[in-house]
Amino acid sequence: MKELEIISIIQKKLFSEYIGDDCAYLKDLGIVVTQDSLVEDVHFSRKFSTPFQLGYKSVAVNLSDIYASGAEAKYLTISLSLPDKIEDNFVENFYEGAKLALNGAKIVGGDITGSDKIFVSVAAIGSTKNRKISSRKNARSDYKIITNGFHGSSAAGLFALQNNLNGYETLKKEHLMPNVSSKLSEIIAKTAKNDYAMMDSSDGLMDALYKIAQNSNLKARVDFNKIPYDKTIENFDYKNMIFFGGEDYKLVCAISKEDLDNINKDLYYEIGEIVEKTDNNIVEVNFGNEIKQFTKNDIEKKLFKHFN
C-alpha cells in the first residue's frame, strides 16, 4: 500500500481537518505540531551515520516541518527504541548531536524502549504567535515558486556513501547532517499579507511541487535552469536526484508577487510559477531543450516509497 493511500484512509476515517500539511495547525492553542520517525536501515544506516549525526538529523528533520508551516520551533520530545547491545556512549553522543540542531528550541521529554533496531520518533511543537501559517492548499494562479537552497545534494551524498566513493564530502554531510534554515520561513510568516503555500522537500522537490499544486487544484511550472544545485552532482543522475532524491529539507513556497517583493532576494531562488490547470498535468518542467509534463501517476510512480 502507498503512503498517500494510507494518509487518505486516515483522513477519511478520522474526518480530520488537521491532516494534510507538514504540521497540524491547532489554531485554538496557537501552535503547530509535527512528528517524524527515523527507522534503522530505512532512513539511516549505522554503516554511514554516527550517533551524533543521527541525533542531529532526527531534530533537524522535525524543525524543517515546523519551518515549512511558518511557525517558530519551540519544543521537542524524543522517543528512542534501542537494541540491548547498543554501544555505551550512544545516548550521550546522540543527544550531543540533537542539541547542536536545536536552533533555540528545547527538548522537554520523550521515552526510551527496547527494540531489535534503532527507532527514533520526534514530536515538535511550534508557536504561531504573530505569524501567518502556511497550507499546501493556499497556492493561487500567478503565485511565484521559490526555494531556499540546493536540491539533489542529499541523494547524491547517499549514493557516494553507498558506493564508497572518495571525496564528495559536502554532499555526504548534507545527507547525514542536513542544513536546515528558518530564515525564509520567518520572514514570510511575519510579513506576508496574502495566504501562501509552503512545505519542505523531505520527499523531493517534485513531491513538494506536486502536493502544493494538487492540493490547490492548480499546476506548478518550473524552469530547470533556475533550480539551485551543487554542480558536483552532475557526476551522477543529477536531474533525477534533484526532483526525486529527497531528504534535502529545503523550503518550497508558492507566494504572491506582492509578498515576494518584501523579501530580501538573498534568501531565496525563484524557480517558477503557479498557473491554471487545463489538463491532467500537475507539474511542468522547462529543461531548455524540451518541456516535460508530469501527471499525478507519473510523479507518484517515482516518489520515495516507505514500504518498499
Side-chain angles (χ1 to χ4, degrees):
M1 184 175 287
K2 298 178 182 178
E3 179 191 8
L4 294 176
E5 292 174 350
I6 293 175
I7 293 172
S8 177
I9 291 171
I10 295 171
Q11 286 174 318
K12 291 175 182 177
K13 192 68 176 177
L14 298 180
F15 303 104
S16 177
E17 63 190 276
Y18 302 105
I19 298 171
D21 285 303
D22 287 310
C23 293
Y25 176 23
L26 308 182
K27 192 173 183 179
D28 56 327
L29 299 180
I31 61 173
V32 298
V33 181
T34 187
Q35 183 165 353
D36 249 326
S37 299
L38 283 80
V39 180
E40 184 178 357
D41 296 330
V42 176
H43 301 99
F44 68 93
S45 170
R46 278 195 272 178
K47 291 187 295 184
F48 310 131
S49 184
T50 67
F52 180 89
Q53 291 167 332
L54 179 59
Y56 178 96
K57 188 170 185 177
S58 299
V59 168
V61 302
N62 279 271
L63 295 185
S64 180
D65 279 345
I66 298 292
Y67 301 153
S69 76
E72 177 189 6
K74 298 291 287 185
Y75 304 107
L76 300 94
T77 60
I78 300 177
S79 293
L80 276 177
S81 297
L82 301 173
D84 182 53
K85 295 182 180 179
I86 197 75
E87 54 265 38
D88 292 340
N89 60 353
F90 177 92
V91 174
E92 181 179 358
N93 291 333
F94 177 94
Y95 275 91
E96 282 298 323
K99 283 170 58 179
L100 181 63
L102 285 172
N103 192 27
K106 296 180 180 179
I107 297 171
V108 295
D111 190 26
I112 301 289
T113 63
S115 63
D116 294 332
K117 292 187 176 184
I118 299 172
F119 181 95
V120 186
S121 185
V122 180
I125 297 172
S127 170
T128 68
K129 186 177 181 180
N130 299 322
R131 296 185 180 221
K132 183 184 283 290
I133 300 304
S134 76
S135 176
R136 297 173 186 179
K137 65 179 182 294
N138 283 345
R140 300 290 181 267
S141 181
D142 295 330
Y143 270 25
K144 302 301 181 182
I145 301 172
I146 62 173
T147 187
N148 68 336
F150 289 0
H151 294 271
S153 294
S154 179
L158 177 59
F159 181 87
L161 287 165
Q162 290 175 328
N163 290 276
N164 198 29
L165 301 181
N166 293 326
Y168 302 109
E169 297 307 316
T170 298
L171 301 179
K172 292 174 184 176
K173 184 176 180 181
E174 194 61 36
H175 176 72
L176 298 170
M177 298 178 66
N179 181 21
V180 177
S181 174
S182 63
K183 292 179 181 178
L184 181 62
S185 167
E186 180 178 3
I187 193 68
I188 291 175
K190 287 184 174 181
T191 65
K193 296 179 180 179
N194 304 285
D195 288 339
Y196 63 96
M198 186 160 65
M199 59 180 293
D200 73 4
S201 60
S202 55
D203 286 332
L205 175 58
M206 182 63 78
D207 173 75
L209 296 169
Y210 159 58
K211 287 178 178 173
I212 289 174
Q214 175 82 347
N215 282 275
S216 301
N217 197 30
L218 293 165
K219 180 177 180 179
R221 176 182 289 160
V222 297
D223 184 340
F224 179 79
N225 291 322
K226 293 183 178 180
I227 297 172
Y229 65 91
D230 187 321
K231 300 305 179 185
T232 59
I233 73 172
E234 292 180 353
N235 293 329
F236 311 119
D237 182 10
Y238 73 105
K239 292 181 181 179
N240 189 58
M241 289 176 172
I242 286 169
F243 284 112
F244 295 99
E247 294 209 314
D248 288 306
Y249 300 101
K250 305 309 177 190
L251 298 178
V252 181
C253 181
I255 186 171
S256 71
K257 179 66 165 59
E258 175 188 11
D259 290 327
L260 188 59
D261 286 341
N262 294 322
I263 301 174
N264 187 323
K265 294 184 184 300
D266 292 336
L267 293 179
Y268 69 88
Y269 303 85
E270 184 179 332
I271 64 172
E273 61 184 346
I274 299 293
V275 298
E276 294 292 340
K277 185 159 72 76
T278 58
D279 48 33
N280 291 327
N281 298 313
I282 297 177
V283 178
E284 175 186 301
V285 182
N286 184 348
F287 287 99
N289 59 342
E290 69 169 332
I291 295 176
K292 190 168 182 179
Q293 307 284 350
F294 294 86
T295 66
K296 178 177 183 286
N297 288 338
D298 294 333
I299 295 167
E300 290 189 357
K301 281 190 296 186
K302 296 192 69 175
L303 290 178
F304 175 75
K305 296 176 177 61
H306 292 268
F307 300 97
N308 280 5

